[in-house]
Every structure is written in structure tokens, then in C-alpha cells.
Amino acid sequence: MRPDLKRYLPILTWGRAYNKSALSNDLMAAFIVTIMLIPQSLAYALLAGLPPEAGLYASIVPIMLYAVFGTSRSLAVGPVAVVSLMTAAALSNIVEQGTMGYAVAALSLAGLSGIILLAMGLFRLGFVANFLSHPVIAGFITASGIIIAASQLKHILGIDAHGHNLLDLVISLVKHLPEINWITTVIGVLATGFLFWVRKGLKPLLKRLGLGPTLIGIAVKAGPVAVVVLTTLAVWLFGLADQGVKIVGAVPQSLPPLTLPSFSPALLNQLLLPAILISLIGFVESISVAQTLAAKKRQRIDPDQELIGLGAANIGASLTGGFPVTGGFSRSVVNFDAGAETPAAGAFTAIGLAIAALALTPLIFFLPKATLAATIIVAVLSLVDFSILKRSWDYSKADFAAVSATILLTLALGVEAGVSAGVALSILLHLYKSSRPHIAEVGQVPGTEHFRNILRHDVITDPNVVTLRVDESLYFANARYLEDKIHNRVAHDKAIRHVILQCSAINEIDLSALESLEMINERLREMNVKLHLSEVKGPVMDRLKQAHFLAEMTGRVFLSQYDAVKALGTG
């Protein structure tokens, strides 16, 4: 088997070792996840502004494609809250909800996102996720969770309300409060309360009753299904739909249809930026979950192949009546805890959802939308984490500023502006930190060949020699900072005759930084001070040898800092 084929088709690796034990565990995990995903898929389609069946369709073919191309053994792919909200925010600015054009635009958004992810994977651009700092992403997801929960209150209250940011939603909700449907509100509040109790209180109760862990796990995951069944029966038995309770209505009883996204240049141009943002956020969420779960079993995740897997899943969604998908946190954790051993568990889940799409859809005709809204609210509020504000404040004021700005901008301007701000702030935060690198003046630890910061340790120094350790690669953004630091240290100390740059932490020097080093060398020459380098890494030395800097440098290059001090210490 060709190694490159195995890289692009991980199923060829885990599929060859598949056995009865893995089959049994995967089937059990698939059963539990399918129970959870039926109401969740319907709910996320509602959040995205699409018919409920779109949620089922987006959870069938994409999962199967990911099983073939993905590297995570536990990741469950499908609609997720944040991506569904971003889908609704992107599409509602272009086409009207409820129209055929809206559904086609959703297909196109999924297809475009799939192409972007696939291209990133093929060109091995998985590293781009590193540009999104975790605190900023946590802030964005927290703010998005609040917006999502607020957006579902209209279904809980049985009123009409619109808005893509928190302020617009609150104003619209208050404006329509006189139209509240009390029966819908009772259903929504009871469903929400029950789902919260299922998450917190059902497990201890079942433990006291003596049930085993497997049955308890199934019962807890089946909580949303119980709410769906009970509220649907209530609406049907008491004719509540005639009293203003909004229901799901007729859902096609079929497998995912073959669909084709729009190739209109005008539409694709409008969808390009949202598709890029959805791809980035979806990938970051997915890879974070996949790596966390893989680490627990000492498995390896290939970020570039994950991009290919997610790209294939989104292209599959665009061709089968779905909308943008990614790896979900809650469903993946459930899949992992239920004992899934391979991606085949996802394929079995897809089969279960296909059976539900064929056989169970007539049963949800009277399902109240308030129940689906309750499912969404309970799911997304678990994503809200304001503790990130305290942690970032205690650890780094710059991180706190970035997190706070992301939360506020997302709440005030909406998810697209929020995620754009999050990406920009992550990059700016990195540039700010690296533009002011830690530069320590070091001295020799007595009796050793080690050198440490003079402000932190009792060290030996020579008045004629100054050693500065630069703890960052040198590039255009921080080169001038190094110039100023050296000038300020040397200009007012007439005893200094040698400046040593300890380069042990410098991995690269770009052309701007090289020019700054040339400027530093010239300024020190004018002060009758020599510039030396120590502990220069091989690749950095290779680059310096290609330039004329070493030939023009007033001092020498030393293999170690100890050698430099020993040679220059006499003044």
C-alpha cells in the first residue's frame, strides 16, 4: 500500500485492524449518539434558518465522508451551534429565510467552505489555526452562546423577533412581548428546566436507584428525546397547534436528496468572507476537540488531514441538502465516553439518522419549535465561560483586553464582526508581544558556565562587557526595539568596550533585522565598542554567512557564551 494513499485515506489504516470488539463498541456509541443527535440536528437546522430536515441531512453523508478521510477516532461531525448561527447571520444578509434561494445559498456556503478547507489541507495549511489564540476563541464562543440563547427566546415565548446582535435581539424581543403566547411559554420553560435537570440531577438519581453506568449514560443522553416525545404528545392530544403553538409541521420522509449548490459568481463573491470565517472557526473548534480526545488514548491527529476530512464533509453536505458542518464538542465527547473506537462509529450513527429520516419524521409533525429552542439554549449555555475573563486578567492584561474586546464586539456587532475581530486581535496580540521581545542582561553564575538574568540571580559581571540575551527571533517588527535597547544600555556607560548578543533563543533573523544588526554594529563602532555574537544556531549562521554582515562585524562569533566571556573578560 502506497504511504501517501494511507495518509489521504486514514480508513485504510484503522480499517485493516478492525475487529468484533471494535464493532461492538462502535455500535453502542452510535446508538447513544444517534439518540442525542435526532433532536439536536433538527434544532440546529432551525438555528440556521433552514427546514428541520436539513439538520438530519447535514448529519448523514458528512459523517460518512469524515469516517473515510478524517484522522480522529472519536470526532462526530455535523451541525454545531456556532457554525449554524454564523450560517444564519451570513445568509440572512443575502436572501430571505424560508425561500428556495436561502436553501441554495446554504448549500453554496457549505460547498465553498468545503473547497476552502480541502485546499488548506492539500497545501498543508493546518498551522493557520495557531493564529487564533485560545482565549480569544473562548471569548468569541462565549459571546456567540449568549446571542444564540437570546435568539431562541422568541421560540420559547411564541413571538416574532429578529436581530444579529444582542442589542437588536433584546430590543426586538421587548417590542414583541405583548404578543407572547403563554401556552408556548409554558412548554418552552418546562422543556428548558427539564433539560437542565437531566444534565445535573438525573444521573445522581439513577445512581441512587442502582442503575448501571451504561443505562445511566443512555438515559441522560436520551433526555432531549424524552422532551421531544412528551411535548409532541401534549401538542397532539390537546390540539395546542390550534391555539398558536408553532410546530415543526410536515417533514419529508426521505433520505438526503442529491442537490447542487449555486455557481453564481455574484452569490459566491458575497459568501466568500463568511465561508472563510466559518472554515476557520469550524476547524479550530474541531481540531481542539479532536486533539483533546486523542490525547486521552495517546492517538495522533494530523491537522492537515483533518482539513481534508472536514472539507470532504462540507462538500458532501452541499451535495445532499445540508449546510456547513464541523466537529461538535458535545457529540464528540458523548461519542468518546460511549466507547467509540474508530470513525466507523460515525458511519453507524449516519445509518441510524438515515433510518430516522426515513421512518420517524412523520412522528415529529406536532413537535413544538419551543422544544427545539430549549434544546439549543441548554446546549449553548454550556459553552458560555466568563471565567476566561478572570483567568486572562490574572495572567495577562493584553490577553484580557483581547478577550474582552472580542466578547463586546461579538455581542454588539454580531458573529461575523466578532470572529473577524477575534482573528485580527489574535494576530495583533502576537505581533505586539513579539515586537517587544524579552531582552535580558545576563551574567555568569559563580562556579558554573551558566549565564542568567542579572535582575533575578546573583551573578558575576564585567564592567567592560555587556551580554544581552534576546529571547525571540528577530524580524521586521522587533528589530528597531533591539536597536533602542542596545543604544540605551551602552550610550551612558563609558566603561563598556564589548557587547555580546547571546543568540541561543534566536531561531531566525530576517532581512530587516539583519539591517538593524548592521546599524547596531556601526553605532557601536562609532562609540569604540565591539559587537560579538554567541551561541548562534546553525540555520541562522548559514543565513548570516550569505550576507556581508559577519565580515563587517567589529567583533567575533563565539561557540558558547562562556567562551566569549573568557576571551573578552579582561576588557
Side-chain angles (χ1 to χ4, degrees):
M1 188 70 66
R2 289 172 55 190
D4 57 338
L5 194 58
K6 282 188 177 182
R7 175 184 178 268
Y8 290 112
L9 293 172
I11 190 174
L12 298 177
T13 301
W14 61 261
R16 295 180 67 182
Y18 203 66
N19 53 39
K20 287 184 179 180
S21 173
L23 174 64
S24 175
N25 291 333
D26 286 345
L27 284 172
M28 176 55 71
F31 175 71
I32 294 173
V33 174
T34 300
I35 290 174
M36 185 189 79
L37 284 191
I38 292 173
Q40 198 178 79
S41 298
L42 299 171
Y44 288 153
L46 182 73
L47 178 59
L50 291 160
E53 64 268 17
L56 290 174
Y57 297 160
S59 300
I60 297 175
V61 172
I63 297 180
M64 302 192 83
L65 286 171
Y66 179 83
V68 175
F69 295 101
T71 60
S72 172
R73 303 293 178 95
S74 305
L75 192 70
V77 171
V80 300
V82 173
V83 170
S84 297
L85 177 66
M86 293 177 71
T87 298
L91 300 185
S92 58
N93 292 328
I94 299 171
V95 285
E96 186 180 347
Q97 279 192 18
T99 64
M100 182 61 71
Y102 189 93
V104 172
L107 299 175
S108 304
L109 185 60
L112 200 54
S113 178
I115 291 170
I116 291 169
L117 289 165
L118 191 61
M120 289 173 65
L122 292 173
F123 287 102
R124 304 199 173 193
L125 299 179
F127 66 88
V128 298
N130 299 333
F131 288 103
L132 296 172
S133 74
H134 178 264
V136 166
I137 292 299
F140 168 72
I141 290 176
T142 291
S144 297
I146 295 171
I147 293 176
I148 291 169
S151 72
Q152 296 308 296
L153 289 177
K154 64 181 180 181
H155 296 297
I156 297 290
L157 301 174
I159 61 178
D160 189 27
H162 300 284
H164 298 304
N165 59 63
L166 188 61
L167 182 61
D168 289 348
L169 282 167
V170 170
I171 292 172
S172 185
L173 285 167
V174 171
K175 184 178 177 181
H176 290 90
L177 267 182
E179 305 164 12
I180 190 171
N181 184 293
W182 289 105
I183 299 175
T184 301
T185 303
V186 169
I187 292 173
V189 170
L190 288 177
T192 305
F194 178 76
L195 288 172
F196 274 119
W197 175 78
V198 165
R199 287 197 165 203
K200 301 292 184 181
L202 182 58
K203 196 171 185 178
L205 175 63
L206 295 178
K207 277 186 177 179
R208 287 197 297 271
L209 294 175
L211 270 68
T214 303
L215 288 176
I216 290 175
I218 294 175
V220 171
K221 303 307 180 294
V225 176
V227 170
V228 166
V229 171
L230 292 173
T231 55
T232 302
L233 283 173
V235 171
W236 174 60
L237 286 173
F238 299 108
L240 300 182
D242 297 329
Q243 299 180 48
V245 176
K246 293 180 180 178
I247 59 175
V248 168
V251 176
Q253 194 173 353
S254 69
L255 291 172
L258 290 176
T259 55
L260 205 61
S262 171
F263 296 100
S264 164
L267 176 63
L268 295 178
N269 186 54
Q270 288 178 293
L271 293 176
L272 182 58
L273 179 59
I276 293 172
L277 297 177
I278 285 173
S279 300
L280 282 175
I281 292 298
F283 175 58
V284 169
E285 179 176 354
S286 181
I287 198 70
S288 299
V289 176
Q291 289 179 334
T292 300
L293 297 179
K296 294 182 179 181
K297 289 189 175 180
R298 298 191 178 186
Q299 295 168 349
R300 180 180 173 274
I301 298 298
D302 181 349
D304 296 319
Q305 186 59 32
E306 284 298 291
L307 283 165
I308 293 174
L310 292 174
N314 276 279
I315 291 172
S318 73
L319 299 175
T320 54
F323 55 99
V325 298
T326 192
F329 176 78
S330 58
R331 70 184 68 193
S332 298
V333 171
V334 169
N335 197 36
F336 179 86
D337 290 341
E341 288 195 23
T342 73
F348 296 142
T349 300
I351 294 171
L353 291 171
I355 293 171
L358 276 174
L360 302 181
T361 49
L363 302 178
I364 61 173
F365 182 90
F366 290 103
L367 172 60
K369 290 186 176 181
T371 301
L372 295 180
T375 302
I376 293 173
I377 289 172
V378 173
V380 300
L381 287 183
S382 66
L383 302 175
V384 175
D385 177 21
F386 284 113
S387 67
I388 189 66
L389 290 171
K390 184 180 185 306
R391 293 201 308 274
S392 60
W393 174 264
D394 292 341
Y395 190 76
S396 166
K397 300 302 183 287
D399 281 328
F400 172 80
V403 172
S404 303
T406 302
I407 291 175
L408 292 174
L409 286 170
T410 303
L411 293 176
L413 302 177
V415 290
E416 284 192 20
V419 71
S420 300
V423 172
L425 286 169
S426 294
I427 295 172
L428 288 173
L429 192 60
H430 168 72
L431 290 175
Y432 172 76
K433 289 178 178 178
S434 62
S435 70
R436 301 172 62 84
H438 180 255
I439 299 176
E441 183 172 344
V442 300
Q444 185 177 359
V445 178
T448 74
E449 296 183 7
H450 299 294
F451 291 79
R452 294 292 183 267
N453 193 328
I454 64 171
L455 301 178
R456 294 176 179 271
H457 300 272
D458 185 13
V459 293
I460 301 170
T461 59
D462 187 317
N464 298 313
V465 180
V466 169
T467 298
L468 298 176
R469 189 190 69 228
V470 185
D471 296 331
E472 182 76 60
S473 290
L474 297 178
Y475 73 118
F476 65 91
N478 62 21
R480 184 61 184 269
Y481 182 79
L482 177 63
E483 286 186 49
D484 295 339
K485 196 80 172 178
I486 293 177
H487 181 268
N488 293 337
R489 177 64 183 88
V490 175
H492 304 294
D493 193 337
K494 304 300 183 184
I496 296 175
R497 290 291 172 263
H498 302 280
V499 171
I500 307 170
L501 284 185
Q502 186 179 350
C503 304
S504 54
I506 297 176
N507 295 317
E508 186 176 358
I509 297 176
D510 76 357
L511 186 57
S512 296
L514 177 63
E515 292 174 353
S516 287
L517 288 177
E518 291 172 347
M519 180 66 69
I520 291 167
N521 186 56
E522 284 303 311
R523 287 181 179 175
L524 292 178
R525 188 201 304 270
E526 292 169 2
M527 298 182 203
N528 198 28
V529 176
K530 292 184 177 182
L531 175 66
H532 309 269
L533 305 179
S534 72
E535 301 185 8
V536 182
K537 293 185 176 179
V540 176
M541 180 62 79
D542 292 341
R543 297 286 291 276
L544 292 178
K545 286 178 178 177
Q546 294 175 8
H548 300 292
F549 172 69
L550 293 179
E552 297 173 359
M553 192 172 71
T554 54
R556 298 159 54 190
V557 178
F558 294 92
L559 183 63
S560 72
Q561 178 61 29
Y562 180 75
D563 291 342
V565 169
K566 192 165 65 171
L568 305 173
T570 57

